Amino acid sequence: MSESAKIIIDGKTYEFPVITGSEGEKGIDISELRKQTGYITLDPGYGNTGCCKSSITFVDGEKGILRYRGIPIEQLAEHSTFVETAYILIHGSLPNEKELTNIRVMLNDNSLIHEDMQIFFQNFPRSSSPMGILSAMVNTLRSFYPELMDSEEDIELTFLRLLSKARTMAAMSYKISKGHKVVYPRPDYTYCANFLNMMFDSPVKPYIIDEDLVEALNTFWILHADHEQNCSTAAVKVVGSGKVNIYASISAGIAALWGQLHGGANQAVIMMLSDILKNGGSVDQVISRAKDRNDAFRLMGFGHRVYKTYDPRAKIMKSTCDRLLSKFNIDDPLVDIAKKLEEVALKDAYFIDHNLYPNIDFYSGIVLRVLGIPTNMFTVMFAIGRLPGWIAQWKESIDDPDWKISRPRQIYTGPNENNYIPILKRK
Ligand code: ACO
């Protein structure tokens, strides 16, 4: 017999089906709640609200588990590449050699940006945030590359265009912001090596590809590739649910990611660590500000809506960080501060009681610094990494026969009906 949940309202019992996921998590299907009872649920921040059934990513926040299509993140970080991980997320299974080669060829073939688009990049004020530029330019892609969705091949082409061109545009916006010549993608480089080359190659200083840096970037992007129904993914799906084109949906996701409570935290962490360094290096003041209920300050890179233990991505990021620092013999004072901060916070009763642990953003900024990425590009790096997840989630939602336009309800608390008063009669 299938499981159900009973809700009693005004003495009357209503029964709703319980849906069980493949990992045993349970949800009450209340899609008929309002129709049957006249009531709605109220859940600010949606901490208890599921918006879909999904077979893409599994997160267990209590145990610190993250899997893409069933494969643990630790295995992907060790053995896969970002391009292969993107394939797994979007297509649902591991590619064979032919499929992997095909996606690589298509990423290369679609890596150039229409030359006319450079005019837009040139005209953003130099002080523009690269996140704003990326969001605007991804939306603009629609004008240059009409969304093709009629066949499987068309859909694949649209997805790969997005993956390839967003990376080229990110590097291009950096070069233009510096007033430097744009570097074009090269067919002989992999996706990650190409990005680093487009960012850092210069006519006066050729960029030498370092395989350890390429590997670190692969890891960084694999770790960011999806995280089920987070703020930016929800934005992609909400916007997409109105049946707008995929470029506009992804552009909305980039805008959502920009915020410092979400993807912007990687930049905020480095700014926080730099401030601590500037103020003498002691972490005590920051810890006590984070604990003070009258202070809006939060320890950046700590805490997570879902993880109530150490974020599994943060563990991998921390070891990538250690590996890079030791290989390049880097002595970064911000790393010492980060480690001290983590040590103090993890022993502090406030952080223990609130289940606050480092999240992915705590060490990712240090890894990006070693790669040479400027701080204002950190969240753009996150956005490129999250593209496969946004695309996979968008595709899953438009293919879902139960999918409806997103339209939450509310409990109205404003004035009751009253009359319009002509201006001369108002007191
Ligand atoms: N520093 C200090 N206190 C914190 C922190 C923090 N970083 N995070 C949460 N808390 C406290 C809150 O003050 C609250 O305390 P209270 O119950 O005593 O009032 C309690 O923990 C619960 O916090 P909420 O804000 O309700 O938790 P929520 O799930 O809504 O927020 C969030 C999650 C936004 C990530 C939060 O932990 C935070 O602001 N962290 C800092 C920003 C950050 O690192 N963001 C990146 C997240 S990962 C990502 O998006 C990729």
Side-chain angles (χ1 to χ4, degrees):
M1 215 179 76
S2 52
E3 203 180 337
S4 67
K6 293 190 174 93
I7 300 177
I8 303 170
I9 302 174
D10 285 341
K12 192 167 169 205
T13 303
Y14 300 89
E15 208 165 334
F16 297 96
V18 167
I19 309 291
T20 306
S22 50
E23 290 290 338
E25 70 282 18
K26 289 178 189 287
I28 304 167
D29 178 353
I30 52 133
S31 45
E32 295 291 310
L33 179 73
R34 187 168 176 278
K35 202 162 146 195
Q36 289 189 27
T37 68
Y39 284 66
I40 62 163
T41 55
L42 194 59
D43 184 21
Y46 309 125
N48 307 281
T49 300
C51 67
C52 61
K53 287 177 252 169
S54 177
S55 61
I56 301 172
T57 290
F58 173 67
V59 179
D60 183 327
E62 269 70 37
K63 296 192 186 132
I65 294 172
L66 170 61
R67 297 181 201 135
Y68 299 158
R69 303 287 190 182
I71 307 174
I73 192 68
E74 293 78 8
Q75 290 182 23
L76 290 167
E78 194 177 340
H79 304 296
S80 189
T81 60
F82 176 62
V83 167
E84 185 185 52
T85 298
Y87 185 99
I88 297 167
L89 283 166
I90 295 170
H91 293 277
S93 58
L94 285 159
N96 60 31
E97 263 187 77
K98 192 170 158 228
E99 288 161 337
L100 194 55
T101 304
N102 187 40
I103 182 176
R104 288 195 174 126
V105 169
M106 283 180 76
L107 284 169
N108 173 60
D109 291 353
N110 289 284
S111 55
L112 290 173
I113 301 296
H114 197 297
E115 288 288 314
D116 290 353
M117 287 187 87
Q118 281 209 33
I119 298 163
F120 294 94
F121 284 103
Q122 305 280 5
N123 286 297
F124 279 103
R126 286 282 141 94
S127 59
S128 301
S129 161
M131 278 302 268
I133 297 178
L134 187 66
S135 177
M137 294 311 290
V138 165
N139 210 349
T140 308
L141 277 176
R142 171 73 163 77
S143 308
F144 290 85
Y145 306 96
E147 186 194 43
L148 302 169
M149 285 288 159
D150 289 339
S151 64
E152 284 299 316
E153 289 74 34
D154 280 359
I155 294 173
E156 181 81 350
L157 175 61
T158 300
F159 292 167
L160 293 174
R161 270 183 179 158
L162 255 168
L163 280 174
S164 200
K165 292 185 196 305
R167 172 201 54 171
T168 306
M169 290 195 303
M172 191 186 248
S173 65
Y174 171 65
K175 281 291 189 195
I176 291 173
S177 75
K178 293 197 62 151
H180 289 177
K181 200 170 172 315
V182 163
V183 176
Y184 284 82
R186 283 175 47 160
D188 53 333
Y189 282 168
T190 60
Y191 186 93
C192 292
N194 237 321
F195 176 76
L196 292 173
N197 191 61
M198 285 191 275
M199 285 285 291
F200 303 121
D201 188 50
S202 125
V204 291
K205 200 170 180 206
Y207 185 70
I208 315 274
I209 299 290
D210 180 301
E211 284 311 323
D212 286 303
L213 294 183
V214 173
E215 191 187 319
L217 182 55
N218 263 301
T219 306
F220 176 91
W221 276 339
I222 289 170
L223 297 181
H224 285 84
D226 193 41
H227 212 240
E228 48 118 310
Q229 312 308 317
N230 55 85
C231 173
S232 54
T233 302
V236 168
K237 291 172 73 157
V238 168
V239 171
S241 78
K243 299 271 182 240
V244 71
N245 66 79
I246 190 170
Y247 300 114
S249 305
I250 301 279
S251 162
I254 296 169
L257 189 72
W258 194 350
Q260 65 161 359
L261 294 190
H262 191 18
N266 57 11
Q267 188 171 333
V269 168
I270 293 297
M271 282 150 75
M272 176 183 78
L273 298 175
S274 306
D275 278 349
I276 297 173
L277 183 64
K278 240 186 273 154
N279 293 326
S282 162
V283 301
D284 298 346
Q285 198 205 359
V286 165
I287 294 280
S288 50
R289 280 193 69 195
K291 297 192 302 187
D292 182 354
R293 280 178 162 273
N294 299 315
D295 190 332
F297 176 81
R298 284 186 167 197
L299 200 58
M300 287 294 132
F302 260 73
H304 197 275
R305 169 62 62 81
V306 179
Y307 292 119
K308 298 305 163 202
T309 181
Y310 212 103
D311 180 338
R313 303 167 300 175
K315 272 189 203 154
I316 302 169
M317 198 61 88
K318 189 177 176 183
S319 66
T320 301
C321 175
D322 287 340
R323 207 171 40 247
L324 287 181
L325 294 172
S326 116
K327 156 153 190 196
F328 293 104
N329 213 2
I330 296 171
D331 193 10
D332 186 341
L334 295 194
V335 178
D336 300 334
I337 294 171
K339 295 214 160 150
K340 182 78 194 153
L341 202 51
E342 180 185 350
E343 188 192 319
V344 174
L346 292 183
K347 284 190 198 135
D348 188 290
Y350 172 90
F351 290 88
I352 295 169
D353 294 348
H354 284 77
N355 294 318
L356 298 171
Y357 294 86
N359 59 48
I360 187 170
D361 293 320
F362 196 66
Y363 284 103
S364 65
I366 313 242
V367 169
L368 292 177
R369 272 160 70 88
V370 180
L371 294 178
I373 309 293
T375 313
N376 72 347
M377 286 283 289
F378 282 9
T379 316
V380 165
M381 298 299 289
F382 190 153
I384 300 171
R386 186 51 59 85
L387 274 171
W390 287 332
I391 292 170
Q393 302 271 355
W394 182 87
K395 183 169 188 293
E396 184 177 64
S397 69
I398 59 156
D399 289 345
D400 181 353
D402 293 335
W403 190 251
K404 294 185 165 127
I405 186 165
S406 291
R407 203 315 185 172
R409 288 199 173 254
Q410 62 167 18
I411 300 290
Y412 174 70
T413 57
N416 295 116
E417 183 175 358
N418 57 49
N419 291 322
Y420 178 82
I421 304 168
I423 196 153
L424 295 177
K425 291 195 177 163
R426 290 176 213 165
K427 286 187 192 139

